[in-house]
Amino acid sequence: MATPKQQYYEALSDSLIDKFNLRGIEGYYCSTKEEALLTAKRFLTPGCSVSWGGSMTLQEIGLIDALKHSDYTVYDRAAASTPEERTAMYADTVCCDYYFMSTNAITLDGQLVNVDGFGNRVACLIAGPKNVVIVAGMNKVAGDLAAAIERVHNVAAPPNAIRLGLDLPCAKFGRCTNCLDSACMCCQTVITRKSKIPGRIKVILVGEELGY
């Protein structure tokens, strides 16, 4: 029997998916990360090209390993050994068929909030790949835009900075100091209030706490 939190997540997901539909975004709900992995893979078509943005969520559901060991054309920037190879790989990524990522936050009215350092992840969200598939745990939901940005700066960024070994104030103090450090991860803030191409962005909500 589903726990009260699981029932809450499912009820909230119904509301969010309705909001997504109004914004030209396809929404799906999976109660577990295992179900989310199967749902994400179902979008893929024979012979398609795939890539992804940095994401603990994708790692936690096992999607990145699954893609790396698949028969699809995979563009993995981490496999590039030189700056030139990395640039060429990114050019291919921008034109891939399916781009996978998570999102830093989701507002109750269905807007996606993402904060990036270099901006390559949010760039692919905005334009380029034919399909963008977002996987997000229900812990990413925030009340409104202000709460979503607050969540990114003070909930997601500090542990992410620690994970990446970055000598940033948020890693030291556990909270955002609005830094302008050269290693700052919060350089680009993108709010997706609507998908210009209906259905290009697909969001898989997962009834578990995933990522940061």
Side-chain angles (χ1 to χ4, degrees):
M1 182 176 180
T3 66
K5 178 176 279 190
Q6 289 170 333
Q7 293 177 57
Y8 156 67
Y9 279 157
E10 186 167 0
L12 179 56
S13 72
D14 288 341
S15 173
L16 286 170
I17 289 170
D18 287 341
K19 300 298 184 183
F20 288 152
N21 288 337
L22 295 174
R23 298 178 182 279
I25 297 170
E26 290 182 11
Y28 302 84
Y29 179 73
C30 297
S31 58
T32 67
K33 60 186 177 183
E34 291 80 12
E35 185 183 348
L37 174 60
L38 293 174
T39 300
K41 290 166 65 176
R42 286 193 191 105
F43 289 115
L44 300 174
T45 54
C48 70
S49 56
V50 299
S51 190
W52 56 85
S55 167
M56 284 302 297
T57 297
L58 298 185
Q59 291 185 38
E60 289 172 3
I61 71 168
L63 181 61
I64 292 178
D65 282 342
L67 293 176
K68 286 181 177 180
H69 296 92
S70 70
D71 294 328
Y72 304 112
T73 300
V74 176
Y75 301 126
D76 178 8
R77 288 200 311 146
S81 57
T82 66
E84 291 76 18
E85 286 183 5
R86 195 170 296 111
T87 298
M89 188 80 73
Y90 181 62
D92 289 330
T93 295
V94 171
C95 297
C96 73
D97 295 314
Y98 293 91
Y99 184 79
F100 291 91
M101 58 179 284
S102 189
T103 184
N104 296 129
I106 303 170
T107 63
L108 287 175
D109 64 355
Q111 298 184 78
L112 309 176
V113 178
N114 285 281
V115 177
D116 245 12
F118 288 102
N120 55 293
R121 182 177 63 102
V122 293
C124 287
L125 168 62
I126 293 169
K130 296 180 181 66
N131 297 276
V132 176
V133 182
I134 294 171
V135 183
M138 293 297 288
N139 54 304
K140 300 288 186 76
V141 178
D144 55 20
L145 288 175
I149 293 172
E150 172 78 9
R151 182 193 184 282
V152 179
H153 289 169
N154 290 302
V155 176
N160 212 24
I162 293 170
R163 176 180 70 87
L164 296 171
L166 299 177
D167 185 23
L168 287 171
C170 65
K172 296 177 183 177
F173 305 119
R175 61 178 178 81
C176 179
T177 65
N178 199 30
C179 82
L180 293 174
D181 193 279
S182 60
C184 178
M185 301 184 298
C186 302
C187 301
Q188 317 288 336
T189 299
V190 170
I191 298 167
T192 304
R193 62 180 298 275
K194 190 179 190 305
S195 177
K196 189 69 172 177
I197 302 172
R200 174 180 174 268
I201 299 174
K202 310 165 203 324
V203 179
I204 301 172
L205 299 169
V206 188
E208 296 188 25
E209 294 191 3
L210 297 171
Y212 297 137

